[in-house]
Amino acid sequence: MWQGWRNVTVDPPAPAAVCPLVRTEVIDRLVPAHGPPQVGEQNAPGLRTIYCLVKSEQSRATYLWVSLGRFGRHEGRGPRCVDRDGLQTVFNGRNHRLALGDSAVYFLAGDAATGRRVNFSTCLGTYGVVVAYEAYDTADAPMVESAAAVAQEVLSWL
């Protein structure tokens, strides 16, 4: 019986649409001259995710990708976001922790000339929020603060 319970998958209900959870003025400020948001789902066993992608229509395409995922039970793991192995770990870079939600980490990639990107993820209960923000000629600290602010906006609705 234990083996059967351990292997059960319980898919969670879908999370709320994520684009409306981030204020329009925040998106306008972070991604100037952007087109309409692209939305979609990325689901896996025991996980339902809704995402929002906003891209600049300028030649240097700044973008903001925000996803809101909700966890269920899968392969013996419960629905708590922080219990998911490897969810908040990058293997080829340096993780930085922040105090947000139950757990939050970010890492930086790329460079200012070709596009610097911050990947930010945070957990709160059964929810996970991931923010990827790419911009040019921007220092690291403002990029991290921007990604954290977007994640905080989403978390504030949960």
Side-chain angles (χ1 to χ4, degrees), residues 69-133:
R70 187 145 189 213
F71 292 93
R73 182 171 294 283
H74 183 63
E75 293 183 343
R77 294 176 296 199
R80 287 178 9 113
C81 176
V82 295
D83 294 338
R84 297 301 171 119
D85 297 331
L87 182 67
Q88 294 189 305
T89 304
V90 61
F91 297 105
N92 295 325
R94 183 170 174 221
N95 290 309
H96 304 274
R97 296 216 172 266
L98 287 177
L100 183 62
D102 295 333
S103 173
V105 298
Y106 72 90
F107 68 91
L108 296 156
D111 61 59
T114 60
R116 187 77 164 146
R117 185 181 73 245
V118 59
N119 286 31
F120 188 98
S121 64
T122 184
C123 289
L124 182 65
T126 62
Y127 291 96
V129 177
V130 177
V131 177
Y133 177 51

Side-chain angles (χ1 to χ4, degrees), residues 27-104:
I27 293 172
D28 292 345
R29 176 98 174 159
L30 296 179
V31 187
H34 63 80
Q38 300 171 25
V39 297
E41 291 186 36
Q42 293 179 323
N43 299 320
L47 172 65
R48 295 189 69 186
T49 302
I50 305 292
Y51 70 84
C52 178
L53 172 64
V54 181
K55 293 182 186 177
S56 173
E57 294 183 334
Q58 297 175 344
S59 60
R60 295 176 84 178
T62 299
Y63 73 86
L64 176 67
W65 185 81
V66 184
S67 75
L68 174 60
R70 187 145 189 213
F71 292 93
R73 182 171 294 283
H74 183 63
E75 293 183 343
R77 294 176 296 199
R80 287 178 9 113
C81 176
V82 295
D83 294 338
R84 297 301 171 119
D85 297 331
L87 182 67
Q88 294 189 305
T89 304
V90 61
F91 297 105
N92 295 325
R94 183 170 174 221
N95 290 309
H96 304 274
R97 296 216 172 266
L98 287 177
L100 183 62
D102 295 333
S103 173

